[in-house]
Amino acid sequence: MSEAAVPKDARPIAVRAFLDDGTWASGKPARPARWRQVRGIGPSDWTLIFDTETTTDAAQQLRFGCYQLRKGERLDEAGLFYDPESLTEAAQALIARFAEASGHKLMTAAEFVESTFYGVAYDCGAAVVGFNLPFDLSRLAIRHASARGKTMRGGFSLQVSPNPHRLALQVKHLSRRAALIRFVAKRGQRTPRGMRRRGFRVPARRGYFIDVKTLAAALTARTFSLGSLAEFLDVPARKLDTDEHGGPLTDTYLVYAARDVQTTWECYRALRERYAGHGLTGTPANRILSEAGIGKAYLKEMGIKPWHEMQPDVPPALIGTILGSYYGGRSEVRIRRLVRQVAYCDFLSMYPTVCTLMGLWRFVIARGMTWRDATEEVRDLLARVTLEDLQEQSFWRCLPVLVQIAPEADLFPVRAKYGDEKHYTIGLNYLSSRTLIWFTFADCLTARLLTGSAPRIIRAIRFMPGTVQPGLKPVAIAGNPAYRIDPARDDFYRRLIDLRAEVKCEMAAAEGPDRERRDTEQLALKILANATSYGIFLELNVDEAAKPEDAICHGIEGEGFLVSTSQIETPGRYFHPL
């Protein structure tokens, strides 16, 4: 459109698109079908728990650290390690006396890295446990670089040992609560010839890293310090208080540091038992990085396979159409800067409730989905819909429909830069456009009911779930036998909210610590329900490539076009935007 043809009061809007780097368009899984990955045996009986103490300046250089080495529940070794360059001779002598008196093994940081960290964590497959583990691992590093590989792009590679035969660590922060941590894959052929002939492949040894801070947040939907977590879990070894950080080393401060390791272990043990209560045996605790991770673990436990695995031949253009109708994160203020009397309204677990009403669980457990043209029936339905129709549960099953609209002052969600905003935000506005735009049928209903005018529908697509996946297995939600569901017959979202409602009733009758425990439990169930009914299906992991890469952008126009971008979006495992 020429600039002269654009109305003076027009402004650009943005719609979501699907960026395909070739993985989706190929219609093939990332791993060749002939390969059968050998399942890892999981961490050994050994657990390494450690914590570091640093200087308080900007460098935060390692001074010393404490660790425990456990086999099962038994403490096999407790020790101290230190950096000779950061401590005076007097401080080193103090640590030596403390170690001898308290029965701690003493070594330098370099010795700890070689004999304990690599000797146990890598060579023996021990679980490495810490609180805010990425920070402690980075204190051991002797140099760093940008991480390589598609999964860890945007993260750091940490060389911890000067030994060239010791593999580096990779750390990639996902959020303020979670990070991916793993060893770099060893170069060369890992799979013996005989196994390769039979179609097997041995996975790289990546290690098992568990950040107690991350696991606690995933299980409770709360953020803790080590002290507050120990209090919440009511472990025997509470964190000690100190104001000696960065000061001269004392016996008191060494006791404080050693206690932190014991507290971390006891918190980890309590969280491990709490996670075991979910019965998610197919997903180890080191793979849980968020509430959404628990939701994915439930889907895996039920034997539900991802949509792209079930239906890899879905056209990328259709994904672009679906994402073009996505307006999550909408925020509206109808009356600004005026004092008004209001009535506060809220919905009970809105995301899973809407998913249950629309019957979207059917799509989750299906082999795939089909779609057909529904233009005439949707036009007729939109013309005669009333508010009373929305009170009928059966009506909501009609909503899995996308519509192509020719907007003519119709009330729709619009993603634009409002006022002096520098970024795109979403609000409900009267929209006119010469470009045809895709919306959900629900958005059309909103426009029709709020204005009395039905938007002009050019085309409508109705989606239907396919047959139920084979091999689905029952699961007990949160380990509660009263909430054992069969995914082929029961709605997982509905039962999650039923359980939350029960816990909230118990919370109302409880007092003191028990009330707080119930409150945390119901909040965790709420976040689990929201993440599993919404978040994981629109998971797009954005990575910054070292240099621009070619990809095909599929938007609302239908035909994809070539773009060169360094912002690479990788769909999550259970990506299913419909």
Side-chain angles (χ1 to χ4, degrees), residues 357-368:
L357 288 170
M358 292 177 66
L360 297 186
W361 181 248
R362 299 172 299 159
F363 288 87
V364 177
I365 62 174
R367 292 176 183 263

Side-chain angles (χ1 to χ4, degrees), residues 32-43:
R34 68 178 183 276
W35 288 111
R36 286 177 287 174
Q37 190 92 341
V38 177
R39 184 176 179 180
I41 60 175

